[in-house]
Every structure is written in C-alpha cells, then in structure tokens.
Amino acid sequence: MRELRQTVVRHPVEAICAAATAGFAVIAVFDLIRYAALGRMWPIATIMVVELLFVLSGVLAVRSNLPAVLVAPGVAGIVLGCTMNYAETTMFNAEMFVQAAIALIGAVAGTAVQIRFRRVPVKAGGGVLAAIAAIVVVSLAVWQGGAAIARSHTTVQTEIWDVPAVFSTPAEQEGTLERVEYETKAYATDERVVTKAAYVYLPYGYDESRQYDILYLMHGTGDDEAYWFVTHPENKTMVDRMIETGAIEPMIIVTPTFYVEDDCADGLDPLTYSFKEELRNDLMPIIESRYSTYAETADAVGFEASRDHRAFAGLSRGAVTTYHSAICGSLDWFSWFGTFSGSRTSADYFRETIQSDAFKDYPINYLYVTSGTFDFALPGQIEDYRTLLSIEPRLEAGVNTEFDIFPMRYHSAGNWHLALYNFLPRIFH
C-alpha cells in the first residue's frame, strides 16, 4: 500500500490504476468473507484465485504504467458475471460486474490520461506478471489434472472433476427410447385438458416379465422432455454403459417436462408446484400401467407400496420441481431424490409439507445435491440444504444425504452430466 500511495502522488495515470486496484481489493475481501460463510473448500479456493487475479492485474497496471492491462480483468468480470448470475437467483456474485466496470472505466480513463500527458509505459511489473502466469498455470493444471485422473478411472466411484471415459463410449447393448403422449390438465392455470409427451428410457433387454426400478428425471428452464437423452445423447450413452458394465442395475428412466404449453410464461414457479398434480394424476398412472415397475397396481396403493423403487431428480428449475412436487408433494410415492443446481425452497414450506401428518412418517432413503463452484445456484442451494438438515431428522449428512460441489463447473450441461453419473449408483439399493 505504501508503494501505491507513492504512485498516486507521482502521476494521475498511476493514481487511476491504484484506485482500480483498491476497488478490486475491497470487493475481494467482501467476496472472501461471504464465501467463507459457505464453509466449503472448493468455492472458497475458486473465489480466492479469481479475486487474487483481479488484484494482481491492478498491481501490474500500476507497476507498468499501462492502464490498458485493466481490459483483461474487465472482460473476465463480464464473463464470470454472466456465468455466475441469473435473473432473480443472483445472490453472491453480482460484484463481478462491479469489478468489470471498475476495470474498464480505469482502462479507458487511464489510457485517455496517458495519451493526454504522453505518459510512456515502463518495463516494470515482471514479478507481478510472473505471479499471474503462475497462478493461472497452477489452477489450470489442477483442473485439467483432476479431470484427467477422473477420466482414467475404470470403476464407478464419486467423481467431482469429470465422468470416466469408459462411460463415454457407445455400449454394445444399447437401451431404447420411446416417446409417450398423454392427456393431462393445466393445473397451474385454468385446468383445461392438454396433450403432453415424455420420453421413456428402457434398458437393453427390457423384459415385461420382470420388475424395474424407475427414475423420473426433469430438465431445466428453456428445455423440454428431450433434454436428457435426445438433446444430450451423451447421457444415454453413459446410462447404457453403466448398465452394461454392471455399475448400476437396469432401470426405467422417464424424462417429462414441467411446461404446459405457454402457461406461466411471466413466472414459471407455479409450474414447479403444480407438476405434482400432473405427476400423480396423469403421468405416473399412464407410465406405470404401460411399463413393468414394482407398482403392482398403477394407483395410489401400488405407488405407495413401491416407493422404495422410485426416484425423482432434476436440474436447475427441474431441481426446484423435485423439491416442490416430489419431495414436498409426493413423498408417499418416492424415496430417492437428486437436486442438481437448484433449490429455492423455504423452511416453512418444508415444515408444511414433508413434516405434515400426511408425510412425516415416510423415510427418505437418499437425497443427493450437487452444484458447481461457478454455479449461480450454489449459495442458495447451500442455504436451503442447511435449513433442511436443521429441521429434518430423517436426513443425516454422510449417511443418507450428500452435497457435492464440482470444481470449475458452472450452470451447464457438463455439470449435470457429472451429477447424473454420481447420482445413479446411489439409488435403489
């Protein structure tokens, strides 16, 4: 700081760069305190690296008398801000945009002053530049090294970096996809009759004479029932291979959609609650009367008796739907759950639903929660997860619930591909 004060006195160019650096430092401290409150190693490590690079970029601009250097953290701030933030779920990282603004304003103003006074850059800051390079190289090495190690594994185990390559090659015994249309109602609005569709994954060798566990798997905002296996066929390849290698038992997987035509376009949250009516009244009866599951009858009696053989999972708003419509709305029919990059469920709603007389006596076999270190949903997920554990005695961390955070992952298909890989071996045993 003494050196920075001296540069402020020497020339306005250095003063502008020093002011930007000070702004980075203040936000860095603010970020680190908030991420420390999350109490999770990978998010804290990630934000430490990011903020250190911001500050060092500012120091480099000061030392080299070159404010244009600030363009780099400015662009990085915009990229990270767009990656880590999203509409009303923004909670922790909007300051990335603030840092981007500080950097770009500093770059433009500093360069203008530099041109006005014909201030020549100097060959200083080599050590700072070396430090920046070292941090970037080490971070990328850790990231790529962890992913490479994960991809080299040939047996199923918990992976936080990547899916093993052995599950990314086409199986000799491929399962099939069937598209099922069914009638339901617009339960969130006017209850008109509508026709919807879901995809059904049947494992290789599907045999109607045997019973299969069943997973209902939901997409996120902006996608549809085709997301998991048609839009992203790598997920089907992975499931095929996991079954073929014996990593998981053959199961039926249903991929529906929470969308109902154009309903609730101005606010989708009602659909995350109303889907339970569609699930219970229409989707499950048609699916489980057509395919061979553990439900002896495709009605309330059969579904309740077979709940230990039924799971529900989803990503992003599909994870919210998992909480609202499956965990809180259908605990009598499901006992295994996965929520990837989404939560948005209050303690009061948990108390009103899963702790109500209707659901309080049903055990929860497993809840698997995931997010990425750059995922905008992460802070809210951690908060809601802690709340749930604090009020729900049926869930015990490390016993029948787990929260995995994937380094360097954001709100993306790769994040959820990895989440599904980790989730499947945890259910139905």
Side-chain angles (χ1 to χ4, degrees), residues 27 54 248:
I27 294 176
F54 271 108
I248 59 175

Short mmCIF file of all heavy atoms in Angstrom, two decimals, residues 27 54 248:
data_model
loop_
_atom_site.label_atom_id
_atom_site.label_comp_id
_atom_site.label_asym_id
_atom_site.label_seq_id
_atom_site.Cartn_x
_atom_site.Cartn_y
_atom_site.Cartn_z
N ILE A 27 -13.52 -5.44 -2.86
CA ILE A 27 -14.50 -6.45 -3.27
C ILE A 27 -13.97 -7.85 -2.98
O ILE A 27 -14.72 -8.76 -2.60
CB ILE A 27 -14.85 -6.29 -4.75
CG1 ILE A 27 -15.59 -4.96 -4.96
CG2 ILE A 27 -15.73 -7.44 -5.23
CD1 ILE A 27 -15.90 -4.63 -6.39
N PHE A 54 -7.65 -10.63 -10.04
CA PHE A 54 -8.13 -9.25 -10.22
C PHE A 54 -7.15 -8.26 -9.59
O PHE A 54 -6.74 -7.27 -10.21
CB PHE A 54 -9.51 -9.08 -9.58
CG PHE A 54 -10.66 -9.39 -10.49
CD1 PHE A 54 -11.41 -10.53 -10.33
CD2 PHE A 54 -10.99 -8.51 -11.52
CE1 PHE A 54 -12.48 -10.82 -11.16
CE2 PHE A 54 -12.06 -8.79 -12.36
CZ PHE A 54 -12.81 -9.94 -12.18
N ILE A 248 -24.61 -50.05 -12.44
CA ILE A 248 -25.95 -49.85 -11.91
C ILE A 248 -26.85 -50.95 -12.46
O ILE A 248 -26.54 -51.56 -13.49
CB ILE A 248 -26.54 -48.47 -12.27
CG1 ILE A 248 -26.61 -48.30 -13.80
CG2 ILE A 248 -25.74 -47.35 -11.64
CD1 ILE A 248 -27.30 -47.01 -14.24
#
